């Protein structure tokens, strides 16, 4: 009560004083009221507070301090939630498992009066994220079935749901409001219920953005389930099967598609081209289209171009689908302006070559380092195909390209950029390709004249070798890019030379913020002088001051701090000097004096004799002649060759060799008295000469024929006499006629008991 009475006395005292004095000027109060009356200005102000350090704590204090800031601050604080824990924390502590710890869940289902705080703050939620792997709130969802309203978050616009199981995916149905515009799904495993859930989403919502990220394949009926979502403006598909021809045709037919994100990692160029196999079916090359030159009547002769009449008809009817540049808003990807691709540079080149539209924003995640030939093709491709429309280009590295620990610095040439006249923002952040040269800055100054924001690998670290870009080389950017406002770059800050300091065209009036990252510096005072010349209106200069950062150098940190301290004073002096030049010297007061001056003109007659001097010179140019004789007699020689053929007489002795062969024909006797051995004699043919054998001539001995006749007659007589005596008598008579067998004679006696004579042919 004492405090209240004291405050009342102070208030009365203030009213009493204001009655006698003039009221103060309410300038500050009026400006604050004007800001609070403008809702957009208040929102921008509070968003700037939120982005600052401890921004949420400051907004919560504003909401508790001032009623004017209460509602806008609460709207920003509850606009986006990264989990369901803040919503569960609105329930009373008596139904929580642990008081003031909503992450542990609830004991029982909340009653109708327990939903009062939830209903009060849930209307402010616009975006929410749920991750089944981190949030232990699986037991809470069954307790929320008996809720006073059909939807827990009635004004929800964006839902990010990360599920691993079928039950986790089913819980998202609780947040499928009619106001939902964007849904981001991250499925970690193959779920058979996903098609049913996707059909439920398509029937209950009208989406403007859809994102699906999963290591599993996209369902086969994906395009059929989302066929009625004609209002999609943003599509993100990062999953196997996203490059199918059906998905390409479906995305090309979306009439309001403005942003597309695809993953080309691990795909072949043929698979990337397959995305556009059915896109041509959605083209406008028909007789009734504006850009068509076909009249609809088949003719082999040259036809008249009716497209101008169609264009003029659309202009008269004020068709909104017609652009002023003579192109109709139809065809595949007609509204696509932002493209996000992930993968190898070669696959990105294939995709951009087949893309039948123009782009204003291109965001790429490439595998670092890229191939030199692919990078050259990429720079030429974007310059030729999107040079007139591309406004921002952002190049980062994929997760597989980020290397932990020490990295090998590689150059990334920018000389292949031809001309990007509309480019406003260029952001390159790669882990290995971090080396840039003054030639690259010169090319950027020429190719990107409207560049406003430039970031060239600000996180690069240089330990052994200094950056190749000097501080003077920034003059290529400040002279070519007259709208440059923000610059993130690593340089080797050396003192500036006199010609650079005298060149006024290198001063940039637009450059306001520079982040030197891990730049090197040697002389802080000279660097401050050079910076005051290159960027006279520089407002912010930053560098990495984290001592825990790898390759931290305390000397560079201290020198940059000195530059930050001395630069404002140098800028002030330069501005003062420039003001002198702008306003000029003070006017000189004129004093009038009366004075007479003799203005008689003195004349002088002066003559000048001009006589040219001439010299005569003769030059003898007689050529010297030389006579020479050349002996060209042809030498000849006579030679005789003896061509008499040689003859030789050769004699060959052809003596005929003769051979004599004798055959002993002795009958074999058997000791048995009752049996008489007989031998069969056969005639023997002897081939005496080899030459006659080859000719097939056989000769027989004529003197043997009577002998064989005698033997044959005796053989017949002996057969008639069974006694052995005659046989012995014959053997005794003719046994003396037997001779020794020659060496080449062959025994003709058969090994059997019966004796037979065979015809034997003996060759010499």
């Amino acid at each position: 009560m004492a405090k209240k009475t004291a405050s009342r006395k102070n208030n009365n005292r203030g009213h009493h004083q204001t009655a006698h004095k003039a009221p103060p000027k309410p300038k500050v109060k009026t400006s604050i009221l004007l800001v609070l009356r403008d809702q957009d200005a208040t929102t921008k102000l509070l968003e700037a507070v939120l982005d600052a350090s401890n921004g949420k704590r400051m907004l919560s204090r504003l909401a508790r301090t001032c009623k004017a800031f209460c509602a806008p601050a609460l709207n920003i604080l509850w606009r986006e939630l990264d989990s369901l824990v803040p919503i569960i924390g609105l329930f009373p502590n008596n139904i929580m498992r642990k008081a003031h710890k909503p992450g542990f869940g609830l004991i029982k289902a909340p009653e109708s009066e327990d939903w009062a705080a939830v209903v009060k703050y849930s209307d402010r939620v616009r975006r929410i994220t749920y991750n089944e792997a981190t949030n232990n709130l699986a037991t809470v969802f069954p307790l929320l079935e008996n809720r006073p309203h059909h939807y827990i978050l009635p004004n929800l616009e964006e839902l990010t749901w990360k599920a691993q199981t079928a039950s986790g995916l089913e819980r998202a149905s609780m947040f499928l409001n009619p106001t939902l515009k964007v849904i981001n799904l991250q499925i970690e495993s193959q779920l058979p219920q996903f098609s049913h859930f996707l059909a439920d989403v398509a029937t209950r919502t009208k989406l403007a953005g859809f994102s699906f990220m999963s290591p599993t394949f996209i369902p086969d009926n994906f395009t059929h389930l989302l066929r009625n979502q004609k209002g999609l403006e943003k599509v993100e598909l990062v999953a196997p099967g996203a490059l199918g021809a059906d998905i390409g045709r479906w995305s090309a037919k979306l009439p309001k598609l403005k942003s597309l994100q695809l993953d080309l990692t691990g795909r072949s160029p043929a698979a990337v081209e397959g995305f556009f196999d059915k896109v041509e079916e959605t083209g406008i090359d028909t007789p009734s289209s504006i850009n068509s030159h076909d009249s609809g009547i088949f003719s082999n002769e040259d036809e008249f171009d009716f497209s101008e009449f169609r264009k003029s008809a659309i202009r008269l009817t004020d068709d909104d689908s017609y652009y002023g540049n003579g192109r109709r808003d139809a065809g595949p990807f007609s509204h696509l302006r932002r493209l996000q691709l992930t993968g190898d540079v070669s696959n990105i080149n294939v995709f951009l070559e087949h893309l039948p539209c123009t782009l204003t924003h291109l965001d790429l995640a490439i595998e670092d380092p890229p191939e030199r030939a692919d990078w050259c093709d990429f720079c030429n491709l974007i310059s030729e195909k999107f040079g007139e429309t591309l406004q921002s280009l952002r190049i980062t590295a994929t997760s597989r390209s980020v290397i932990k620990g020490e990295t090998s610095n590689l150059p990334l040439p920018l000389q292949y950029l031809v001309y990007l006249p509309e480019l406003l923002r260029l952001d390159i952040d790669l882990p290995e390709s971090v080396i840039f040269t003054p030639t690259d800055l010169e090319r950027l100054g020429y190719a990107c004249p409207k560049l406003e924001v430039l970031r060239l690998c600000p996180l690069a670290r240089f330990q052994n070798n200094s950056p190749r870009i000097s501080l003077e080389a920034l003059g290529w950017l400040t002279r070519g890019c007259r709208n440059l406002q923000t610059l993130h770059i690593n340089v080797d800050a050396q003192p500036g030379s006199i010609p650079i300091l005298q060149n006024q065209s290198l001063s940039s009036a637009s450059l306001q913020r520079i982040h030197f990252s891990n730049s090197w510096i040697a002389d802080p005072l000279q660097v401050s002088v050079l910076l005051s010349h290159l960027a006279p209106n520089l407002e912010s200069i930053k560098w990495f001051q984290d001592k825990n950062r790898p390759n931290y150098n305390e000397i560079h940190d201290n020198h940059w701090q000195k530059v930050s301290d001395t630069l404002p004073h140098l800028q002030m002096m330069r501005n003062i000097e420039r003001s002198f030049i702008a306003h000029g010297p003070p006017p000189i007061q004129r004093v009038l004096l009366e004075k007479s001056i003799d203005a008689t003109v003195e004349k002088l007659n002066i003559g000048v004799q001009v006589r040219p001097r001439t010299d005569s010179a003769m030059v003898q140019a007689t050529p010297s002649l030389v006579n020479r004789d050349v002996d060209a007699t042809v030498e000849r020689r006579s030679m005789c060759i003896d061509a008499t053929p040689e003859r030789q007489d050769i004699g060959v002795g052809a003596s005929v060799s003769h051979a004599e062969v004798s055959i002993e024909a002795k009958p074999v006797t058997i000791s048995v008295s009752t049996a008489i051995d007989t031998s069969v004699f056969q005639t023997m043919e002897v081939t005496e000469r080899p030459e006659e054998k080859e000719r097939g001539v056989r000769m027989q001995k004529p003197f043997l024929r009577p002998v064989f006749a005698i033997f044959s007659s005796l053989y017949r007589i002996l057969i008639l006499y069974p006694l052995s005596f005659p046989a012995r008598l014959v053997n005794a008579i003719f046994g003396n006629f037997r001779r020794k067998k020659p060496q080449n004679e062959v025994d003709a006696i058969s090994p059997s008991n019966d004796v037979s004579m065979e015809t034997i042919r003996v060759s010499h």
Side-chain angles (χ1 to χ4, degrees):
M1 294 296 294
K3 293 182 180 180
K4 292 182 179 180
T5 54
S7 61
R8 288 177 182 176
K9 290 181 180 180
N10 294 331
N11 294 333
N12 294 331
R13 186 183 301 172
H15 289 293
H16 181 70
Q17 292 177 356
T18 55
H20 296 282
K21 296 182 180 180
K25 297 180 180 180
K27 291 184 179 180
V28 179
K29 186 176 181 181
T30 304
S31 61
I32 294 177
L33 291 176
L34 290 176
V35 171
L36 294 178
R37 288 176 182 175
D38 191 351
Q39 185 177 1
D40 295 337
T42 305
T43 303
K44 295 294 183 182
L45 177 61
L46 296 178
E47 287 178 352
V49 174
L50 181 64
D51 295 336
S53 59
N54 297 327
K56 291 186 177 181
R57 182 175 299 178
M58 295 174 64
L59 285 180
S60 62
R61 290 175 179 175
L62 283 175
R64 291 193 299 266
T65 302
C66 180
K67 292 183 179 180
F69 285 108
C70 182
L74 289 178
N75 291 335
I76 294 178
L77 284 173
W78 287 89
R79 182 176 56 184
E80 183 175 359
L81 301 179
D82 56 356
S83 66
L84 293 174
V85 175
I87 300 295
I88 304 301
L90 296 176
F91 288 104
N93 293 329
N94 57 354
I95 63 174
M96 294 184 183
R97 293 184 181 275
K98 289 187 178 181
H100 305 288
K101 293 183 179 180
F104 289 92
L106 304 176
I107 300 176
K108 62 177 182 177
E111 302 294 337
S112 59
E113 60 273 7
D114 298 335
W115 287 88
V118 177
V119 173
K120 180 180 179 181
Y121 289 96
S122 61
D123 294 342
R124 307 177 188 271
V125 180
R126 298 294 184 270
R127 294 185 293 272
I128 193 170
T129 301
Y130 173 77
N131 191 351
E132 186 181 3
T134 58
N135 294 334
N136 189 15
L137 297 175
T139 59
V140 176
F141 288 95
L143 302 178
L144 302 179
E145 295 294 337
N146 298 327
R147 51 186 179 272
H149 299 284
H150 187 67
Y151 299 106
I152 299 178
L153 306 177
N155 296 326
L156 187 65
E157 296 179 356
E158 182 176 353
L159 176 64
T160 302
W161 203 265
K162 303 177 182 180
Q164 295 179 345
T165 60
S167 59
L169 180 63
E170 187 179 358
R171 300 186 190 108
S173 302
M174 189 180 301
F175 301 94
L176 298 180
N177 304 346
T179 59
L180 191 65
K181 298 299 182 183
V182 180
I183 182 169
N184 304 316
L185 299 176
Q186 295 186 16
I187 310 301
E188 300 296 335
S189 59
Q190 186 72 32
L191 301 179
Q193 297 83 359
F194 179 71
S195 299
H196 178 71
F197 173 78
L198 199 60
D200 189 18
V201 171
T203 55
R204 295 173 59 181
T205 60
K206 294 295 182 180
L207 298 177
F210 179 81
S211 174
F212 177 73
M213 298 183 182
S214 176
T216 61
F217 281 88
I218 295 179
D220 297 335
N221 57 347
F222 177 80
T223 57
H224 179 72
L225 295 176
L226 297 180
R227 65 185 183 279
N228 295 328
Q229 297 292 338
K230 301 296 184 180
L232 285 175
E233 299 179 1
K234 181 179 180 181
V235 175
E236 298 179 3
L237 299 177
V238 183
L243 297 179
D246 294 336
I247 295 180
R249 180 178 59 180
W250 168 76
S251 58
K253 287 183 178 180
L254 294 176
K256 297 182 179 181
L257 184 63
K258 298 180 180 179
S259 178
L260 178 63
Q261 180 179 355
L262 296 173
D263 187 8
L264 311 180
T265 304
R267 304 298 191 271
S268 62
V272 177
E273 293 179 356
F275 183 80
F276 298 94
D277 287 345
K278 298 182 180 180
V279 172
E280 298 179 356
E281 299 178 5
T282 61
I284 57 174
D285 192 10
T286 59
S288 60
S289 61
I290 294 178
N291 293 337
S292 177
H293 299 280
D294 187 9
S295 62
I297 303 174
F298 177 76
S299 176
N300 293 329
E301 300 178 356
D302 296 336
E303 299 180 358
F304 185 76
D305 188 4
F306 290 90
S307 59
E308 295 296 331
F309 290 95
R310 298 189 183 98
K311 295 176 184 178
S312 58
I314 292 176
R315 294 191 190 100
L316 294 175
T317 55
D318 294 334
D319 192 351
D320 295 336
S321 62
Y322 177 78
Y323 285 108
N325 56 2
R327 182 175 61 86
R328 183 178 175 85
D329 182 16
F333 302 106
S334 57
H335 284 83
L336 185 62
R337 296 295 177 266
R338 183 183 296 272
L339 180 63
Q340 300 180 20
L341 298 177
T342 303
D344 194 7
V345 179
S346 59
N347 290 339
I348 293 175
N349 292 339
V350 174
F351 191 91
L352 294 178
E353 288 177 357
H354 291 79
L355 190 65
C357 68
T358 58
L359 298 176
T360 57
H361 305 278
L362 185 59
D363 191 353
L364 306 177
I366 66 175
E367 295 182 1
D368 188 44
E371 295 292 338
R372 182 62 60 90
D374 296 337
W375 175 255
C376 177
D377 296 340
F378 168 75
C379 293
N380 294 329
L381 180 61
I382 62 174
S383 300
E384 295 176 0
K385 193 170 184 178
F386 310 109
E388 299 296 333
T389 58
L390 192 62
Q391 298 180 3
S392 68
L393 176 61
R394 184 171 181 265
I395 301 175
T396 58
T398 59
S399 58
R400 298 189 304 174
S401 301
V402 177
I403 301 176
K404 297 181 180 179
E406 296 294 334
T407 59
S408 57
N409 296 336
L410 299 174
L412 186 68
L414 302 178
Q415 294 89 356
Y416 304 115
L417 293 175
V418 181
Y419 195 51
L420 299 172
E422 301 297 329
L423 190 65
L424 303 178
R425 182 184 182 94
L426 177 60
D427 189 354
I428 300 177
D429 188 5
L430 300 175
E432 292 191 32
S433 304
V434 298
I435 297 179
F436 299 94
T437 60
T439 308
D440 299 331
L441 299 185
E442 181 182 3
R443 171 54 61 178
L444 287 178
Y446 169 76
C448 311
K450 294 184 180 181
L451 196 63
E452 296 181 358
V453 179
L454 176 62
R455 298 176 75 250
L456 296 179
C457 298
L459 301 179
R461 301 189 295 267
F462 299 88
Q463 182 178 4
N464 299 326
N465 299 326
S466 61
R468 297 184 183 180
I469 298 178
S470 61
L471 192 59
E472 290 184 350
L474 297 182
W476 295 108
L477 285 175
T478 56
R479 185 176 64 177
C481 306
R482 306 305 298 178
N483 298 329
L484 188 63
Q485 300 179 3
T486 304
L487 179 62
H488 288 226
I489 196 171
N490 289 280
V491 299
D492 184 11
Q494 298 293 335
S497 59
I498 298 300
I500 297 296
L501 295 175
Q502 291 178 349
N503 193 346
Q504 188 177 359
S505 63
L506 303 181
S507 297
S508 175
S510 61
L511 188 56
Q512 299 178 357
R513 293 171 293 274
I514 298 181
H515 199 300
F516 286 107
S517 303
N518 294 311
S519 299
W520 290 26
I521 184 173
D523 191 347
L525 180 59
Q526 296 296 330
V527 170
S528 300
V529 173
L530 182 57
L531 276 178
S532 64
H533 172 66
L534 296 177
N537 298 327
L538 189 63
E539 298 178 357
S540 173
I541 176 173
K542 295 182 180 180
W543 65 96
F544 286 134
Q545 305 179 21
D546 189 4
K547 296 183 179 181
N548 296 327
R549 184 176 179 81
N551 301 332
Y552 171 78
N553 194 329
E554 187 177 0
I555 298 176
H556 297 327
D557 189 3
N558 296 333
H559 287 175
W560 283 117
Q561 185 62 44
K562 293 179 182 179
V563 171
S564 179
D565 296 338
T566 58
L567 183 61
H569 304 288
L570 292 175
Q571 289 177 337
M572 180 183 65
M573 292 301 299
R574 286 186 176 272
N575 292 331
I576 293 174
E577 293 173 355
R578 289 187 176 92
S579 65
F580 292 159
I581 299 175
H583 297 288
I588 300 175
Q589 296 181 359
R590 297 181 180 181
V591 179
L592 299 178
L593 297 175
E594 294 181 358
K595 187 177 180 179
S596 60
I597 299 174
D598 187 6
T600 303
V601 179
E602 295 181 359
K603 298 181 179 179
L604 295 176
N605 295 326
I606 299 175
V608 179
Q609 184 178 3
V610 180
R611 179 182 295 176
R613 294 180 180 180
T614 59
D615 294 334
S616 299
M618 299 177 65
V619 179
Q620 185 177 1
T622 303
S624 59
L625 303 177
V626 179
N627 295 328
R628 291 182 181 181
D629 296 334
V630 179
D631 187 5
T633 304
V634 180
E635 295 182 359
R636 298 180 180 179
R637 292 182 181 181
S638 299
M639 298 178 65
C640 296
I641 300 173
D642 186 8
T644 303
E646 296 181 358
R647 297 180 179 180
Q648 293 181 359
D649 296 334
I650 299 174
V652 180
S655 59
V656 180
S657 60
H658 299 273
E660 295 180 359
V661 179
S662 62
I663 298 174
E664 181 179 1
K666 179 181 178 180
V668 180
T669 58
I670 301 176
S671 59
V672 182
S673 59
T674 58
I676 299 177
D677 295 333
T678 62
S679 59
V680 180
F681 298 94
Q682 297 180 358
T683 62
M684 176 177 293
E685 297 178 0
V686 179
T687 305
E688 296 182 357
R689 297 180 182 179
E691 293 83 3
E692 294 178 355
K693 180 181 179 180
E694 294 177 357
R695 297 176 184 176
V697 179
R698 296 180 182 178
M699 299 179 62
Q700 296 180 356
K701 299 295 182 176
F703 62 90
L704 294 178
R705 293 179 180 177
V707 177
F708 284 111
I710 296 171
F711 278 108
S712 60
S713 60
L714 290 176
Y715 173 73
R716 294 174 181 176
I717 295 172
L718 291 176
I719 293 175
L720 298 176
Y721 296 95
L723 298 178
S724 63
F725 174 78
R728 295 179 181 177
L729 179 61
V730 174
N731 187 18
I733 295 173
F734 296 97
N736 297 328
F737 294 98
R738 299 175 61 183
R739 292 181 300 176
K740 294 182 179 179
K741 296 181 182 180
Q743 294 180 356
N744 57 351
E745 185 178 357
V746 179
D747 191 2
I749 300 175
S750 177
S752 60
N753 294 331
D754 296 333
V755 179
S756 63
M757 298 297 293
E758 296 180 357
T759 303
I760 300 175
R761 298 178 182 178
V762 180
S763 62
H764 179 66

